[in-house]
Amino acid sequence: MNFSKGKPGGADPSGVGTDTADSRPAPPGEIARAGARGALWQGLAFAVGKAIVLVTTVVLARLLSPEQYGLVALALVLMAYAETVADAGVAQALVYLPRTRDAARAALLISVLMGGLLTAGAIISAPLIAAFFDRPDVAPLVRVLALSLLATALAAVPEALLRRELRFRQLTAATVTRACAAGSVTLVLAFAGYGAWSLAIGTLAGSAAYATACWILLREQLDWQIWRVRKQSLRESLGFGAPAAGSTLLARLIFDVDYLIIGRVLGASALGYYTLAFRLPELLIINVFFVLSTVMFPLYAQVRNDQGRLRSGYLKSVQLQSLYGLTAGVGLAVIAPVLVPVLFGGQWTDAVLPLVFLSLYAAARSLGAGANDLYKALGRPGLSIWISLVRLVILLPVLVLSTRWGIPGVACAQFAVAVLFAIGMQAVAAKVMRLQARQLLAAALPGLVCGVAVAVTGLAVRAIPLPGDVLSALAVILTCVGVVYAVLRWAFPSLHDELLQLVRHR
């Protein structure tokens, strides 16, 4: 989801037309500046794209029932797992490995084959997926969504090349294109009365639009002679890509296993409420970490041989992500009771309590965000796999047990496990990077202080009797923003000045 011009010089600015590696590291200080520029472009894509998604979500909440919302979530949950391995991880390998023509050919061959196989497999297995959830009406939705797997695979190589070259403006355009296509198709069909089909077809339209935009915006001519790929390039691509894809699959399984359990145990309507409750933390917080991840992984990979710059860049990443995540997550939890009826209407009040815990869950995730990118940049994606396996072994029984308390219990369990593993992931990162615990704690301190300030301030303002939920929500938001600014200005002046400079010199 992202874009900038390729590296200057040479007949092939994409870098895939030569058989030599480009391993020039960023000059001192460039990782922070490039990360800031990339994050700002990614932030623009995020702001525009997610504004469209948010508007679409608000409108759909008033057009569709919780059960219709849940039906599409049932179909999407298994498709999401397949989507994470649609390119066998070769896109990440293309960012990490030396830049050669044959590496690009190998990545293209593998992604096309995997995408085709997964699409065919999903279409054939649609009745089995429907039977798992005991909902025959899910099968046709799965078949439509399966086509998005092929689009995802076809987008993998051009997206990876744009990311590798830090061309975030082009990737921003592709992201906005996807959001516009998905949102417009979904809303048109929803107003026409197509119910759950509007979401499924809209998702497919967005994936196809994104793949098309990535290829157009790449501009350089890729070598399509995939039959000339050397076995060595295939082995290298799969050697890095397979563990990376496995790590991503486990991360996705952890991220969506609550949907799977709720759909199986509590049914489509409960999943509809839970899905909508998850929507706001996902849009406003978790997707921000994805934005930063697409920027930071290629930057970490460029400076992986310079431990000093890598450490300082990682600590700054922890500081910024925890500051935003804790502040936004706690704030969203505080205003959840007044925000849900305002945005989605009275029929969604059962989503309020899950939203509170899922907002805190997103805040907790911010404390561990970035660790996986560090492991991959250091050439150790297997660390992510082992951590994810341990997390999954713990998470599955906890979530199954928590269903006895309904979707609020599941959301609360997610929050508790997220806190535990945020600490664990940073402990592993500290060991790998030879960082001291106090350095990581110091990086997260501004976020922790601002999160507490938002909780105290927000609850105090909500206790004031104000006429209407809209006015109450606005009062909480404006007051909390002011308090956060004051905390940064007086308690963390250097960070305050750094953030202002970043905005002024974007």
Side-chain angles (χ1 to χ4, degrees):
M1 294 185 162
N2 310 57
F3 14 125
S4 174
K5 285 195 185 289
K7 294 189 179 183
D12 185 12
S14 72
V16 297
T18 66
D19 287 317
T20 60
D22 182 357
S23 57
R24 290 171 293 172
E30 184 60 21
I31 182 171
R33 290 191 294 272
R37 289 194 299 268
L40 284 170
W41 278 112
Q42 289 286 73
L44 175 62
F46 172 81
V48 175
K50 299 314 174 185
I52 295 170
V53 173
L54 181 58
V55 170
T56 303
T57 301
V58 170
V59 174
L60 287 175
R62 297 177 181 274
L63 293 175
L64 304 181
S65 68
E67 183 174 19
Q68 289 174 319
Y69 224 91
L71 277 177
V72 178
L74 290 176
L76 277 172
V77 65
L78 294 179
M79 292 301 98
Y81 298 148
E83 190 175 82
T84 59
V85 294
D87 67 342
V90 295
Q92 297 182 67
L94 203 54
V95 173
Y96 177 82
L97 295 173
R99 191 176 56 181
T100 67
R101 181 192 296 270
D102 207 53
R105 284 196 295 253
L108 188 60
L109 173 61
I110 295 168
S111 61
V112 169
L113 288 177
M114 281 294 295
L117 289 172
L118 286 172
T119 299
I123 291 173
I124 293 170
S125 62
L128 298 177
I129 296 173
F132 176 81
F133 293 113
D134 197 23
R135 293 297 303 245
D137 42 355
V138 167
L141 296 174
V142 169
R143 292 192 176 101
V144 170
L145 290 169
L147 297 176
S148 68
L149 297 175
L150 184 58
T152 297
L154 292 175
V157 169
E159 180 190 25
L161 291 173
L162 290 171
R163 271 203 294 145
R164 175 168 184 142
E165 300 301 321
L166 308 182
R167 297 169 64 179
F168 298 116
R169 282 179 294 177
Q170 288 86 340
L171 286 168
T172 298
T175 300
V176 173
T177 299
R178 170 161 54 191
C180 289
S184 58
V185 170
T186 298
L187 289 179
V188 167
L189 293 177
F191 277 111
Y194 283 88
W197 282 100
S198 62
L199 279 167
I201 297 174
T203 299
L204 173 59
S207 297
Y210 184 67
T212 302
C214 283
W215 278 105
I216 292 173
L217 292 166
L218 182 62
R219 294 181 182 174
E220 290 83 26
Q221 183 68 37
L222 268 183
D223 188 347
W224 285 88
Q225 296 177 307
I226 54 179
W227 57 87
R228 296 179 57 191
V229 175
R230 296 196 299 264
K231 291 182 180 180
Q232 177 65 22
S233 296
L234 289 173
R235 283 195 297 268
E236 289 176 350
S237 293
L238 289 173
F240 182 91
S247 172
T248 305
L249 176 59
L250 283 170
R252 172 56 65 178
L253 182 58
I254 291 167
F255 191 65
D256 283 346
V257 72
D258 48 354
Y259 284 13
L260 193 65
I261 292 170
I262 291 171
R264 174 69 174 172
V265 178
L266 300 177
S269 292
L271 183 57
Y273 286 114
Y274 188 89
T275 301
L276 192 80
F278 204 94
R279 202 67 168 143
L280 288 177
E282 182 183 24
L283 287 173
L284 301 178
I285 304 171
I286 295 172
N287 280 342
V288 173
F289 304 149
F290 172 77
V291 167
L292 292 174
S293 176
T294 60
V295 174
M296 298 313 297
F297 172 48
L299 287 172
Y300 288 159
Q302 285 190 10
V303 298
R304 61 183 179 267
N305 294 321
D306 188 328
Q307 290 292 302
R309 271 184 283 167
L310 188 57
R311 285 193 195 98
S312 62
Y314 182 68
L315 288 172
K316 181 57 64 178
S317 172
V318 170
Q319 184 182 60
L320 296 178
Q321 291 188 85
S322 61
L323 173 62
Y324 176 77
L326 289 168
T327 303
V330 173
L332 189 55
V334 169
I335 64 170
V338 295
L339 192 62
V340 168
V342 168
L343 285 182
F344 306 126
Q347 66 169 327
W348 294 96
T349 53
D350 286 352
V352 170
L353 191 54
L355 174 56
V356 171
F357 288 116
L358 290 172
S359 300
L360 296 175
Y361 157 78
R365 279 177 63 98
S366 71
L367 293 171
N372 281 329
D373 296 315
L374 180 68
Y375 306 151
K376 288 186 293 185
L378 292 172
R380 301 180 65 181
L383 282 175
S384 296
I385 295 179
W386 283 109
I387 292 173
S388 296
L389 282 171
V390 173
R391 183 171 187 162
L392 190 60
V393 168
I394 294 173
L395 187 62
L396 272 174
V398 170
L399 291 182
V400 171
L401 179 64
S402 69
T403 57
R404 66 177 63 186
W405 294 283
I407 53 176
V410 175
C412 184
Q414 282 278 43
F415 166 54
V417 175
V419 171
L420 175 65
F421 275 87
I423 297 171
M425 290 177 71
Q426 291 297 3
V428 174
K431 183 176 181 181
V432 171
M433 291 294 299
R434 296 188 179 91
L435 289 168
Q436 296 180 354
R438 62 180 178 81
Q439 292 177 286
L440 287 168
L441 183 59
L445 185 61
L448 292 168
V449 174
C450 287
V452 171
V454 166
V456 173
T457 304
L459 291 173
V461 173
R462 272 197 50 211
I464 301 173
L466 294 172
D469 289 339
V470 174
L471 187 58
S472 179
L474 286 175
V476 171
I477 293 170
L478 293 175
T479 306
C480 288
V481 168
V483 167
V484 168
Y485 179 83
V487 169
L488 291 176
R489 179 68 181 84
W490 300 109
F492 306 99
S494 60
L495 177 58
H496 166 271
D497 294 344
E498 184 179 351
L499 291 172
L500 281 184
Q501 185 180 17
L502 176 63
V503 173
R504 288 171 181 168
H505 297 82
R506 61 187 180 277

